[in-house]
Amino acid sequence: MNITSKIDRRAPLFVAIILCLHITVAAQQSIPLITNVPGRNTISLNGSWQVIIDPYETGYYDYRFQPRGDGYFKNTQPQSPSDLIEYDFDSSQQLQVPGDWNSQDQRLLFYEGTLWYKKSFDYQRKDRKRLFVYFGAANYVADVYLNGEKLGRHEGGFTPFNFEITSLVKDKDNFLVVKVDNKRRRDAVPTLNTDWWNYGGLTREVALVEVPSTFVEDYVLQLRKGSLDEIQGFVKLNGATAGESIAVEIPEAKIKHAVTTDSKGYAQVSFPAKLQLWTPENPKLYEVVISTPDNSLSDRIGFRSIDTRGADIVLNGKPIFLRGISIHEESPLRGGRAFSEEDARMLLSWAKELGCNFVRLAHYPHNENMVRLADEMGVMVWAEIPVYWTILWDNQDTLKNAQNQLGELITRDRNRASVILWSVANETPVSEPRNVFLKTLIDSARALDQTRLLTAANERHYADQTTQVIDDPVGRYLDVLGCNEYVGWYDGLPEKADGLTWKVTLNKPLIISEFGADALFGKHGGKAQRWTEEYQKDVYEHQIAMLKRIPSLRGMSPWILTDFRSPRRPLPGIQDFFNRKGLISSRGERKQAFFVLQKFYKELMTEGK
Ligand code: GCU
């Protein structure tokens, strides 16, 4: 057992930047975001919740559209027969949490609006314990109340948030009420127009998190950028004063490192560590234990370095090729938003069956089960925030909202070895306000995490009939260039790819983050007949041949693993409100193109790629 407490001179700046951004994220949330909730002492509030569908927001506004003092959050019961109360959670319908409302009740399939959730619970209060209520996600705006008191509001449908309820909780008959509104707004993130279903509700787990009065709020333990044998990071205690002692242990490696907190509860961490490095072939995870005198928290963390070298993406010092597929957070067989470990295991197993070592989790942060399972299964991850298509670039609140979602994503997942890329945008139109908006996001991400690569799914344009150019101005701020292209579907016929050349102006790794074509499983015909499996197969064959000719190509994530619901796809008998670009149907059936990509990935694997 070796004990090290050497202070690393480089750490002060790194921690100062983290501290100020941590404050930014916290400011947009009433209190700091607690990380590694799966590793904590929790009481699940999952299960049946009573709900009230409220399209006119009668539970929030009076007839003058002024916020009411006696809204549904009061959960008022009539005290006498003459009392006039026009709602009653306890005799209202129930929905399952976690779960979107659209796939649980046919009447709500297309519903966009407000829906109220109520959950009653008892809780035995304890000395020197604090209590938080934690939400894995709620789409899109959540107003949260406990026992009639407002706890706060969260905006953003795909990232976690929590509120402290220590002073408000009672031993008996607590009622937690959440107003969830998934109405789309022009100034929101995403904005009005998306090609995915706007599933509403408490789409991920809800839990009570019990912690000691001083607890480990957040931490980062990763290899220092550019190092293969030095761990660097921090531990943040909540409720601590200066001089609190913390131990960071990796028992399997016989490492125990002692640090102390500064006045803000922060402790810098930096120590040498000769560890088995995480790779897709050997996704080694170590149990890491962070303990204070009266508390300990453990996590399973993989250690790997990810970097670029010219046009190469380098994992633990070795160039890699990302054999990927794009995935939406939808449970194909059950329908609706995916949230469980089973959902994640099914999606990632299908990706591995394809021969993938990489997945693009599009277009928003997926649930924590997905990235923790990717850690275990050895699948590298592209994580993204929904800055999608044409956002309001000049709107400062929109920027803050995007920054907050990015901050919450990074705070939740920056100890996940599988996550190698943060993406700040998808198919956004080049303009100065847009460039500034994305640059700000890129800077925010770099300040929160220096160890991972920054990218975005950008577009390309034609220099002439046959030359495609990738020269998005934001590319200069990115580590890896992402590009979506639909040669053979939105852009010409499949064979068009044969005559195209690619001009990539920057010497950086390129990932073709989308290509593909729609096909209805079981629909067959000539390869020039759209919507058939033969057409989709043909697109893949021409695409793969074309992409092989791009010198700086270091990865791809074709669009998409499975068919998924989209309100933009009404074509009867074929789409029926599904985007059919999946290689697997919504019933789990593999289309012909699935095997084309699988064969290509097998070839790459035999070439050691
Ligand atoms: C776009 C977009 C996807 C969309 C896909 C399609 O590139 O990024 O969200 O689903 O094209 O049109 O199928």
Side-chain angles (χ1 to χ4, degrees), residues 1-3 249-256:
M1 166 91 60
N2 55 12
I3 305 231
E249 286 177 79
I250 308 180
E252 190 185 337
K254 299 190 174 21
I255 290 176
K256 183 163 185 169

Side-chain angles (χ1 to χ4, degrees), residues 195 363 388 426-427 486 490 514 559 564 569 579 581:
D195 191 29
H363 289 296
Y388 180 93
N426 181 77
E427 293 185 358
Y486 280 90
Y490 298 123
E514 288 184 36
W559 195 257
F564 62 95
R569 313 291 174 174
N579 182 310
K581 292 191 180 68

